């Protein structure tokens, strides 16, 4: 086990301990996309205007990042930002459209578009992100999770031009021109790495790579065309920030979990389709798992959410190394009271790695 960095004041927090597979006072919990989305206090603080502009206001970002920690009692905060912020910041021409998500003005089509993906200089290109992380590192009582998009998932937006159902264009590119695809993956890995390093340097305690859409790939395609660039991100982090917990997450990745476990992260995020016990066997004994309550069941009412939460806790077992989360992001129609109750239930009944009388 890698020793924890000595300057991290959250080293003994339940979240960081669980990421390292160590015993915990209670099972830690946070929710992907916990900031914004379901919270009425988010809607009033955010106001109207472009979401990319909101990400560039450090005081607002700090407020929106803290809100769910206060409301739900989560054991970690996730920075209020988006996976397309770095590509937008270097001028690729990306916007985040209300109700749609990322949209790209001139999608990535060929060799010439690589020139539009210059290296990220965080202090110049995303100073507002760095500043927000600094504020949060001072203000938060729980660890802050920084994040970036996985090279494949960010490529899917750049190539498709926006959200996609079948990912036809990105699959065509990755199979029709391997050298170009490799260079695109490398550029996006460098962007993710530079962004994650800047968040860690500014005071984030852990990072998550959201490779949300990797699950649309076959294991062969994932292994040959996506895993190498993803692994380069984690190798880069291990070199510059040894011992910092890292999480790799994707949706629909049941058949990829064994491969994802080799990418170099310390934690693998699991969606709700794979029972956590099976997931633990697939990722092996050395890595922690994060997940995996179906977010739709938080919309189905407290009884359904409570029953499903208990099933996740049972599947997680008693071995250390479980961070409770949803299997994907909070759905906008979720009643915040249900998430608050889920967090309390996990704290009261979770047993994975919990020290003391059971
Ligand atoms: O907790 C948080 O909400 C923190 C901030 C956060 C995070 C972690 C935002 C703000 N986006 C993300 C990550 C993100 N963005 C992912 C990975 C997680 C996931 O799979 O949900 C992805 C795929 C995106 C891309 C994106 N941005 C989408 C998905 C579109 C699609 O392809 O289906 C959408 C709708 C956005 C918009 C967005 N991101 C964030 C905000 C506040 C908004 C605008 C409104 C909203 O959807 O809440």
């Amino acid at each position: 086990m890698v020793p924890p960095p000595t300057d991290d004041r959250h080293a003994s927090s339940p979240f960081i301990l669980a990421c390292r597979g160590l015993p915990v006072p209670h099972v830690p919990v946070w929710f992907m996309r916990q900031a914004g989305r379901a919270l009425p206090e988010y809607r009033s603080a955010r106001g109207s205007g472009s979401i990319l502009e909101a990400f560039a206001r450090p005081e607002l970002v700090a407020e929106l990042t803290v809100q769910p920690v206060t409301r739900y009692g989560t054991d970690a905060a996730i920075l209020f930002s988006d996976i397309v912020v770095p590509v937008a910041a270097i001028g690729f021409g990306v916007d985040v459209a209300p109700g749609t998500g990322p949209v790209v003005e001139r999608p990535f089509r060929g060799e010439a578009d690589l020139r539009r993906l210059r290296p990220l200089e965080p202090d110049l290109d995303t100073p507002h992100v760095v500043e927000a992380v600094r504020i949060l590192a001072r203000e938060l009582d729980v660890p802050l999770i920084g994040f970036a998009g996985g090279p494949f998932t960010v490529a899917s937006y750049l190539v498709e031009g926006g959200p996609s159902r079948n990912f036809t264009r990105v699959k065509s590119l990755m199979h029709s021109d391997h050298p170009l695809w490799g260079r695109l993956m490398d550029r996006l890995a460098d962007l993710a790495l530079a962004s994650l390093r800047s968040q860690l340097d500014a005071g984030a305690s852990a990072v998550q790579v959201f490779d949300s859409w990797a699950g649309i790939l076959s294991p062969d395609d994932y292994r040959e065309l996506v895993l190498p660039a993803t692994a380069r991100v984690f190798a880069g982090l291990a070199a510059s920030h040894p011992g910092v917990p890292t999480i790799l997450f994707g949706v629909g990745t049941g058949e990829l979990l064994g491969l994802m476990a080799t990418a170099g992260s310390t934690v693998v995020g699991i969606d709700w389709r794979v029972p956590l016990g099976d997931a633990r066997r697939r990722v092996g004994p050395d890595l922690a798992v994060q997940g995996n309550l179906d977010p739709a069941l938080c919309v189905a009412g407290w009884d359904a959410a409570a029953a499903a939460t208990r099933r996740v806790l049972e599947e997680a077992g008693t071995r250390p190394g479980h961070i409770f989360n949803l299997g994907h992001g909070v759905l906008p129609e979720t009643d915040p009271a249900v998430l608050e109750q889920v967090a309390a239930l996990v704290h009261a009944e979770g047993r994975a790695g919990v020290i003391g009388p059971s």
Side-chain angles (χ1 to χ4, degrees):
M1 184 88 29
V2 191
T6 46
D7 59 344
D8 186 350
R9 69 186 174 93
H10 296 294
S12 59
S13 70
F15 169 75
I16 299 292
L17 291 171
C19 287
R20 299 205 162 103
L22 296 172
V24 285
H26 62 253
V27 171
V29 50
W30 69 279
F31 303 115
M32 289 185 281
R33 305 295 317 272
Q34 67 187 13
R37 286 284 171 101
L39 289 176
E41 58 266 38
Y42 163 76
R43 290 184 204 113
S44 57
R46 151 121 158 77
S48 50
S50 129
I51 188 79
L52 282 181
E53 275 163 32
F55 295 145
R57 292 168 56 195
E59 297 290 344
L60 178 66
V61 166
E63 183 183 350
L64 298 178
T65 301
V66 174
Q67 280 179 352
V69 180
T70 310
R71 166 77 84 127
Y72 303 133
T74 50
D75 296 276
I78 179 135
L79 184 69
F80 186 77
S81 187
D82 193 82
I83 60 168
V84 295
V85 164
V87 274
I90 59 165
F92 198 86
V94 184
D95 200 1
V96 177
T100 304
V103 282
V104 177
E105 207 178 301
R106 282 191 296 135
F108 186 98
R109 288 285 174 264
E111 194 74 39
D113 294 310
L114 281 175
R115 281 198 294 274
R116 298 161 61 206
L117 285 172
R118 66 165 172 82
L120 181 77
E121 293 183 65
D123 290 336
L124 301 174
D125 297 322
T126 50
H128 42 275
V129 174
V130 173
E131 177 56 20
V133 173
R134 282 206 191 100
I135 296 171
L136 284 159
R138 280 198 306 270
E139 289 184 357
L140 277 169
D141 296 328
V142 296
L144 175 70
I145 304 169
F147 71 92
F152 172 75
T153 293
V154 174
S156 79
Y157 290 107
L158 300 189
V159 177
E160 299 287 339
S164 172
R165 177 182 278 274
N166 296 318
F167 297 89
T168 318
R169 282 179 187 273
V170 70
K171 285 185 181 179
S172 300
L173 178 70
M174 73 198 283
H175 282 280
S176 61
D177 191 339
H178 283 172
L180 175 62
W181 175 255
R183 286 199 288 281
L184 173 59
M185 287 289 93
D186 281 345
R187 293 280 170 102
L188 295 177
D190 290 343
L191 277 172
L193 184 55
S195 175
L196 294 170
R197 281 176 168 160
S198 73
Q199 295 173 61
L200 288 167
D201 288 342
S205 298
V207 290
Q208 174 154 324
V209 172
F210 282 96
D211 210 355
S212 300
W213 314 134
I216 57 115
L217 298 171
S218 68
D220 281 346
D221 287 354
Y222 182 76
R223 183 194 302 105
E224 288 157 26
L225 299 167
V226 171
L227 181 58
T230 311
R232 261 190 351 96
V233 176
F234 291 108
L237 290 172
S240 58
H241 297 78
V244 164
T246 54
I247 308 165
L248 175 59
F249 166 78
V251 182
T253 56
E255 295 303 321
L256 305 181
L257 289 177
L259 291 168
M260 289 170 70
T262 69
S265 68
T266 51
V267 184
V268 178
I270 315 292
D271 86 355
W272 64 91
R273 294 170 180 88
V274 184
L276 219 47
D278 291 342
R280 289 195 126 186
R281 281 184 285 280
R282 290 181 201 179
V283 306
D286 296 335
L287 300 187
V289 291
Q290 174 174 282
N292 70 344
L293 174 64
D294 184 343
L297 296 187
C298 294
V299 181
W302 171 238
D303 288 349
T309 298
R310 290 197 165 101
R311 213 167 307 127
V312 170
L313 295 175
E314 202 173 302
E315 280 288 334
T318 56
R319 193 157 61 79
H322 176 220
I323 300 115
F324 190 96
N325 206 313
L326 305 178
H328 197 188
V330 171
L331 295 167
E333 58 270 48
T334 309
D335 175 358
V338 171
L339 292 179
E340 197 181 324
Q341 286 173 287
V342 167
L345 185 62
V346 172
H347 287 160
E349 297 187 11
R351 285 286 158 263
V354 174
I355 2 170
S358 55

